Amino acid sequence: MVNQGPMTEATYYILLALMKPGHGYGMMQRIRELSNGRINMGPGTLYGVLTRMKKEGLIIMTGEYERRKNYHITEKGIEALHAEYERLKLLVNDGAILEEDE
């Protein structure tokens, strides 16, 4: 299990998008789809986070074709994503108190 602090929203959605390997522009589209249009991640944010995630071993670059760099989530990235998902579920469950008086 990966021991980490809270994950940024950008990191979380990039890892979710990379459950299907892809390139930068495709990831931006996939993130928009996964968030039902709520998140429109720009290239500056995306590529900055991708660089950090590569250094952390959460993703790898699998190749480059016509200036498109393709990325894939690593086992460590999958573990981190699952850990964050479980953490977020606990937060939502704890917040159920807000609905008790409704």
Side-chain angles (χ1 to χ4, degrees), residues 85-99:
Y85 177 69
E86 292 302 320
R87 188 189 74 80
L88 292 172
K89 285 194 319 187
L90 290 172
L91 289 177
V92 170
N93 287 337
D94 293 346
I97 192 171
L98 297 171
E99 297 180 0

Side-chain angles (χ1 to χ4, degrees), residues 16-17 20 25-35:
L16 278 179
K20 294 181 180 176
Y25 181 72
M27 274 186 269
M28 288 187 283
Q29 290 179 312
R30 181 108 169 99
I31 290 165
R32 195 172 311 114
E33 291 169 10
L34 289 168
S35 68

Side-chain angles (χ1 to χ4, degrees), residues 41-57:
M41 191 174 297
T45 300
L46 178 73
Y47 289 106
V49 175
L50 287 174
T51 298
R52 180 182 49 77
M53 291 169 64
K54 281 190 328 187
K55 289 178 186 173
E56 293 174 357

Side-chain angles (χ1 to χ4, degrees), residues 73-90:
I73 191 170
T74 64
E75 190 62 38
K76 181 179 178 182
I78 292 169
E79 289 174 14
L81 182 59
H82 280 277
E84 180 66 2
Y85 177 69
E86 292 302 320
R87 188 189 74 80
L88 292 172
K89 285 194 319 187
L90 290 172

